């Protein structure tokens, strides 16, 4: 049986302030928890399954009391956040992603999953981006959080210091399919509604656009979808 204090702790982790103060976050789902356990120190595991290794078995009713999701999963874990550091010189020789105020947790989580798929190990987020340890973000990463390192930085200041190409996506940019794309650099993706802000745009030296092939079609792409297209084109150019 789960205790009242444990329920209170888990419910408190819905708020970023508490996640930061306690250095904890919640992951839900049998496969997701299994993927994350080797990479994060575990404080608690609760499961409605009797055979999930290392878990305390609880009832469906108890799981509904602690879940952060609209539909409870069979497994919930409370994990410790892992601090990460980066060497700016190493970053300059790789392909990385920077997110400028991407605020939807699902978009941030999906972008981490995209980064993982394309072998991109560093994602830099402005401070206004959704918290990577938000339960919805963690769920959307599908385990990529174990392999992709995420850093919250003053994005204009960070981009000012790097010595590598900085690419940004704009409606008036150059056609990505005709531009020369290197194997290293930083790809900046902007806010869902406003795009890349002026302070960040000042540090972008390569402007790209994903051309639309439809007539009278959608005005723009979802930021996660656009990230997938851009990353795919960078990797295709340098690996085939």
């Amino acid at each position: 049986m789960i205790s009242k204090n444990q329920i209170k702790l888990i419910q408190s982790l819905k708020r970023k302030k508490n996640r930061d103060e306690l250095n904890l976050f919640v992951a839900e789902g049998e496969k997701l928890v299994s993927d994350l356990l080797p990479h994060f120190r575990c404080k608690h595991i609760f499961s409605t399954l009797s055979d999930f290794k290392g878990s305390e078995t609880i009832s469906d009713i108890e799981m509904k009391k602690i879940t952060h999701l609209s539909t409870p999963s069979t497994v919930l874990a409370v994990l410790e956040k892992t601090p990460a550091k980066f060497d700016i010189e190493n970053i300059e020789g790789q392909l990385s992603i920077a997110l400028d105020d991407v605020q939807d947790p699902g978009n941030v989580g999906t972008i981490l999953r995209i980064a993982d798929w394309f072998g991109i190990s560093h994602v830099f987020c402005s401070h206004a981006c959704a918290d990577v340890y938000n339960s919805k973000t963690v769920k959307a990463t599908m385990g990529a959080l174990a392999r992709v390192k995420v850093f919250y930085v003053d994005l204009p200041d960070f981009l000012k210091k790097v010595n590598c190409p900085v690419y940004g996506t704009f409606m008036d940019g150059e056609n990505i399919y005709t531009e020369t794309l290197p194997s290293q650099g930083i790809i900046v993706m902007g806010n869902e509604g406003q795009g890349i802000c002026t302070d960040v745009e000042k540090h972008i030296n390569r402007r790209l656009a994903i051309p639309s092939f439809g007539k009278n079609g959608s005005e723009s792409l979802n930021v996660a979808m656009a990230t997938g297209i851009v990353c795919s084109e960078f990797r295709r150019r340098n690996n085939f």
Side-chain angles (χ1 to χ4, degrees):
M1 178 180 294
I2 188 169
S3 71
K4 290 182 179 180
N5 284 339
Q6 288 171 328
I7 293 173
K8 184 178 179 181
L9 168 67
I10 295 168
Q11 290 178 340
S12 76
L13 296 176
K14 291 180 180 180
R15 295 183 289 277
K16 183 180 185 299
K17 176 183 176 182
N18 294 331
R19 293 194 296 271
D20 290 344
E21 288 180 354
L22 298 172
N23 201 43
L24 299 173
F25 71 100
V26 168
E28 299 186 56
E30 185 176 356
K31 185 179 186 305
L32 176 61
V33 172
S34 296
D35 287 345
L36 296 182
L37 280 176
H39 302 275
F40 295 90
R41 184 175 296 176
C42 181
K43 188 173 182 67
H44 300 291
I45 308 179
F46 301 98
S47 177
T48 57
L49 307 172
S50 59
D51 59 348
F52 192 84
K53 185 177 180 181
S55 69
E56 180 180 340
T57 304
I58 61 174
S59 67
D60 291 336
I61 293 174
E62 289 174 315
M63 184 62 81
K64 286 181 181 178
K65 291 180 180 179
I66 61 175
T67 184
H68 289 195
L69 306 176
S70 56
T71 302
S73 299
T74 55
V75 179
L76 181 150
V78 178
L79 306 171
E80 291 186 13
K81 296 195 289 185
T82 301
K85 296 181 180 180
F86 67 91
D87 184 331
I88 200 163
E89 292 184 1
N90 290 338
I91 297 302
E92 291 169 353
Q94 303 177 14
L95 189 63
S96 303
I97 296 172
L99 304 182
D100 181 20
D101 294 6
V102 176
Q103 296 179 350
D104 182 82
N107 281 337
V108 173
T110 301
I111 289 170
L112 260 66
R113 187 179 177 186
I114 290 167
D116 189 32
W117 181 263
F118 288 106
I120 296 171
S121 57
H122 295 82
V123 174
F124 297 90
C125 298
S126 66
H127 292 298
C129 283
D131 181 23
V132 71
Y133 292 108
N134 177 301
S135 295
K136 292 180 180 178
T137 312
V138 174
K139 184 76 171 176
T141 69
M142 298 293 287
L145 187 59
R147 295 171 293 275
V148 178
K149 294 181 174 62
V150 182
F151 306 91
Y152 285 82
V153 298
D154 179 320
L155 201 52
D157 184 63
F158 168 73
L159 294 176
K160 180 173 64 177
K161 293 176 180 177
V162 298
N163 184 29
C164 63
V166 179
Y167 290 84
T169 49
F170 300 89
M171 297 300 292
D172 63 350
E174 299 297 326
N175 187 332
I176 189 171
Y177 300 119
T178 59
E179 287 295 287
T180 300
L181 303 177
S183 59
Q184 54 141 348
I186 298 173
I187 301 166
V188 181
M189 305 302 296
N191 172 269
E192 290 90 343
Q194 303 301 318
I196 295 172
C197 74
T198 303
D199 288 343
V200 171
E201 184 178 354
K202 293 175 183 177
H203 304 287
I204 291 172
N205 45 50
R206 311 285 178 87
R207 299 170 67 93
L208 298 175
I210 301 170
S212 172
F213 295 92
K215 295 181 179 179
N216 302 317
S218 300
E219 292 183 357
S220 62
L221 290 171
N222 167 274
V223 63
M225 183 181 294
T227 303
I229 293 170
V230 173
C231 290
S232 177
E233 188 63 13
F234 268 84
R235 289 310 196 201
R236 184 185 72 83
R237 297 289 189 87
N238 293 284
N239 289 277
F240 296 99

